[in-house]
Amino acid sequence: RLLQERAAKNGPSAKVREALVKILRENPGSTRKLRALWALHLTSGLDARTAIANVKSPDEWVRAWTVQLVSESRENIERVLREIDEQGLTADPDLYQMAESDPSPVVRLYIASAAQRLPEEVRANLVRRLERTSAKASSSAMMKSTKKWLGLL
């Protein structure tokens, strides 16, 4: 909370951001990585480059929470997309690839949840890809519920 208040008052701190990114990259524990990720988000330090690195993480919770935090608001989504474009970055895997091939049901659930905040054409494409993955994992009942929840049924 203190970091958030300081960032709100004085703007984001490069030193704080650097320390949080180091924890996120180097700490072996999921709990510490997630705390660093949440703190980065609260202090406006979760940028496109960090988000792209996070979706490659072997930790399913880091991948899932990165999807959640980036898609938390339209402003966040637009900011990250703008940064990707301006910096010439490439998300690999991108959200579509993650929906189709991420081995974690947790990550796919967070993608399904994020889909409701994305533009309709993106949402529909994500849900189709999630549906294909779910069919392979034989959880079509979950996908039917998700589609209904998102208003696609």
Side-chain angles (χ1 to χ4, degrees):
R1 187 178 129 203
L2 184 59
L3 290 176
Q4 182 182 15
E5 289 172 3
R6 286 181 184 167
K9 183 178 178 182
N10 306 322
S13 164
K15 278 184 171 179
V16 169
R17 185 186 182 294
E18 186 179 307
L20 291 171
V21 169
K22 183 176 180 176
I23 292 168
L24 188 57
R25 298 285 166 258
E26 297 176 10
N27 199 289
S30 286
T31 304
R32 297 243 174 160
K33 287 178 186 236
L34 290 175
R35 286 181 182 161
L37 178 60
W38 296 328
L40 273 171
H41 175 66
L42 291 174
T43 58
S44 303
L46 182 56
D47 62 359
R49 191 173 303 278
T50 305
I52 288 170
N54 287 353
V55 298
K56 296 175 185 175
S57 172
D59 188 320
E60 68 182 342
W61 291 104
V62 170
R63 295 192 312 274
W65 271 99
T66 298
V67 169
Q68 169 68 31
L69 297 174
V70 167
S71 65
E72 196 169 69
S73 67
R74 285 214 187 265
E75 294 81 19
N76 249 12
I77 295 166
E78 290 169 2
R79 178 184 55 79
V80 169
L81 291 174
R82 188 175 54 252
E83 288 176 10
I84 288 171
D85 188 46
E86 289 171 356
Q87 297 174 28
L89 303 173
T90 303
D92 182 27
D94 64 23
L95 205 51
Y96 293 129
Q97 292 165 328
M98 290 174 71
E100 206 162 66
S101 63
D102 195 290
S104 169
V106 172
V107 173
R108 294 192 310 271
L109 177 65
Y110 276 60
I111 292 169
S113 177
Q116 67 183 324
R117 294 180 296 277
L118 298 172
E120 190 172 332
E121 66 278 358
V122 174
R123 180 182 330 144
N125 196 351
L126 276 176
V127 170
R128 278 193 297 276
R129 290 171 185 242
L130 285 166
E131 189 172 36
R132 283 193 292 249
T133 306
S134 293
K136 293 175 197 168
S138 39
S139 57
S140 61
M142 184 193 86
M143 272 318 298
K144 188 172 182 180
S145 297
T146 302
K147 287 173 78 173
K148 192 172 187 178
W149 179 57
L150 294 172
L152 297 172
L153 275 183

